[in-house]
């Protein structure tokens, strides 16, 4: 890729919003999605970069968090994903899918 990767506008079916006018939670979710997409793109090009996420899903409820983590597992087949969080729902999810796919380390 050439040049910076910057989000400027969010296009929706009924309108477009300037990125800086979005809520902090929405901007954080977009930034996380861009990082995930970039890591996936680099993996398809032969460069496998670890993806480190520091509690990017704080605004999600437990069911939404579990759904997102299920999707991250699929990405983890191509990219190492490290999620730093203190969410009990994430710990329970990791225990449920097993240590072959998720490892929990608590401080």
């Amino acid at each position: 890729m050439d040049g910076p990767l910057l989000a400027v506008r969010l296009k929706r079916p009924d309108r477009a919003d300037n990125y800086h006018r979005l809520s902090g939670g929405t901007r954080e979710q977009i930034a996380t999605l861009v990082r995930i997409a970039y890591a996936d793109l680099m993996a398809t090009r032969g460069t496998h970069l670890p993806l480190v996420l520091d509690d990017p899903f704080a605004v999600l409820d437990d069911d939404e968090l579990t759904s997102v983590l299920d999707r991250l597992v699929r990405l983890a087949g191509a990219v190492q994903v490290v999620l730093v969080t203190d969410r009990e729902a994430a710990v329970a999810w990791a225990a449920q899918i097993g240590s072959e796919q998720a490892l929990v380390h608590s401080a």
Side-chain angles (χ1 to χ4, degrees):
M1 297 185 70
D2 296 329
L5 183 61
L6 301 173
V8 177
R9 183 167 288 122
L10 175 64
K11 289 187 178 183
R12 301 177 189 190
D14 58 335
R15 69 179 193 269
D17 292 313
N18 182 304
Y19 180 76
H20 297 289
R21 297 186 80 191
L22 300 172
S23 71
T26 299
R27 287 195 315 259
E28 185 173 322
Q29 288 180 353
I30 291 170
T32 299
L33 291 171
V34 168
R35 291 176 62 211
I36 290 169
Y38 185 72
D40 189 43
L41 172 68
M42 295 305 293
T44 63
R45 294 181 175 185
T47 302
H48 299 274
L49 303 171
L51 178 62
V52 179
L53 303 172
D54 186 1
D55 210 8
F57 310 119
V59 297
L60 302 179
D61 66 33
D62 289 350
D63 290 334
E64 293 168 329
L65 175 64
T66 300
S67 177
V68 168
L69 293 176
D70 286 339
R71 292 182 190 134
L72 278 178
V73 166
R74 289 188 293 246
L75 174 64
V79 175
Q80 178 186 20
V81 178
V82 177
L83 175 65
V84 179
T85 185
D86 63 354
R87 299 274 303 269
E88 289 298 322
V91 173
W93 170 86
Q96 182 181 11
I97 69 166
S99 62
E100 288 293 316
Q101 293 184 308
L103 178 63
V104 175
H105 176 75
S106 58

